[in-house]
Amino acid sequence: MKNATKALVVMGLVGALCIAFLARAEKTCSLEEVPESVRKTIVKYAGEAKITEIELEMEKGKEVYEVEFMKDGKEVEFMVSKDGEFLGFDEEEEDDDEDEGEKKIELTQAPAPVQEAFRKIAGENPIKEVEMEIEHSAAKYEAEYMVDGVEHSVECTATGDILELERVVDPKSLPAAALKMLNTKYPGAVIKEAEEVQVFLYEVEIVHNGKQHEIKIDAAGDIAGHHVDDDDDDDDDDDDDD
């Protein structure tokens, strides 16, 4: 009888813990209840739109805030960390033929820093298309615009930091060395399209474990090149991290 009573007590405690965990896993909050850093991020990305729900939930073992608001008659969701970091828009309901993680959006749906960066780059030229891509849980944005009939594009992070600029060019205008190499490697090939790509990277020198490293990294945190200076080895040690 005592064992049965103990078993019931244990089951009751387990049940209570499960209920407490579920209650903590998802919790609806008001804008006034969230931390100030989170509130600032929510206001920044939702603007003057009416917020319909803020929910604290577990995402990959971490607590995040999921924010829902209405924009042009559509429900928009985005995620914010407990530290107030913008984690990108939620596109789980996207169901079309586009590549997974990519979504066409209106310019006004992009974060304010992205809109500002795009308008600064495009100038008076109208932006014809904006696309959002989620990669490694971070959002990237790309805008296409025309300049004197030539297609251009710009890619940036959610904070408006430029990652890449592209513009379509006449294949005949490619540098002579580039054309020569293409003809050597791919004799008889026909160039269908050519683009001039300007990638923005930061070259950083650090000392780690007694060795000097040169790292090339972009604004999204992707490492494009890694060189380690080794005094004991005359050969360069280059590692490209994906």
Side-chain angles (χ1 to χ4, degrees):
M1 185 68 178
K2 289 183 179 179
N3 290 337
T5 302
K6 288 181 179 179
L8 288 173
V9 171
V10 171
M11 290 175 65
L13 288 173
V14 171
L17 288 171
C18 289
I19 293 172
F21 175 79
L22 290 172
R24 181 173 175 79
E26 290 190 4
K27 176 185 175 183
T28 302
C29 315
S30 67
L31 186 61
E32 292 72 23
E33 291 176 320
V34 302
E36 183 179 358
S37 59
V38 175
R39 189 183 313 124
K40 288 182 178 179
T41 302
I42 291 174
V43 172
K44 178 179 180 181
Y45 286 93
E48 298 180 358
K50 181 181 178 181
I51 297 173
T52 56
E53 186 177 62
I54 301 174
E55 191 172 74
L56 179 63
E57 60 180 38
M58 296 296 293
E59 185 78 17
K60 295 181 179 179
K62 295 183 179 180
E63 288 186 321
V64 298
Y65 290 91
E66 183 179 76
V67 184
E68 296 180 6
F69 67 95
M70 299 302 294
K71 182 79 171 182
D72 299 328
K74 297 180 181 179
E75 185 179 272
V76 182
E77 298 180 2
F78 63 87
M79 312 290 282
V80 181
S81 74
K82 291 199 72 175
D83 298 326
E85 179 185 358
F86 177 73
L87 300 177
F89 287 94
D90 187 359
E91 54 173 351
E92 62 182 5
E93 295 182 3
E94 181 68 12
D95 186 19
D96 54 22
D97 294 331
E98 295 177 285
D99 293 339
E100 183 180 357
E102 295 182 358
K103 176 182 179 181
K104 291 181 181 179
I105 62 173
E106 298 294 330
L107 178 61
T108 53
Q109 291 179 291
V114 174
Q115 296 184 42
E116 183 179 350
F118 285 170
R119 290 192 174 107
K120 183 176 180 180
I121 295 294
E124 298 297 323
N125 302 290
I127 295 173
K128 67 175 189 175
E129 185 177 290
V130 178
E131 189 174 85
M132 179 185 72
E133 179 181 5
I134 302 296
E135 189 174 293
H136 305 306
S137 300
K140 295 181 182 179
Y141 296 83
E142 183 176 4
E144 294 182 2
Y145 58 99
M146 303 294 289
V147 179
D148 297 330
V150 177
E151 186 174 292
H152 289 60
S153 68
V154 52
E155 184 180 33
C156 74
T157 65
T159 53
D161 296 302
I162 304 300
L163 295 167
E164 196 171 282
L165 296 176
E166 294 182 6
R167 72 181 181 97
V168 175
V169 298
D170 185 345
K172 295 178 181 178
S173 69
L174 290 171
L179 287 172
K180 182 179 179 181
M181 179 58 70
L182 289 171
N183 289 329
T184 301
K185 289 284 187 180
Y186 311 97
V190 177
I191 301 175
K192 295 179 61 178
E193 184 180 74
E195 291 182 332
E196 180 183 76
V197 182
Q198 185 177 359
V199 179
F200 290 79
L201 297 174
Y202 299 87
E203 187 171 270
V204 184
E205 293 185 4
I206 65 172
V207 176
H208 180 64
N209 292 335
K211 293 185 178 181
Q212 182 167 304
H213 301 245
E214 287 186 3
I215 300 171
K216 292 181 180 179
I217 189 169
D218 68 12
D222 293 326
I223 295 178
H226 179 201
H227 171 76
V228 181
D229 286 337
D230 192 342
D231 295 335
D232 298 329
D233 191 349
D234 293 334
D235 295 329
D236 287 343
D237 181 9
D238 289 318
D239 297 316
D240 288 334
D241 297 332
D242 295 331

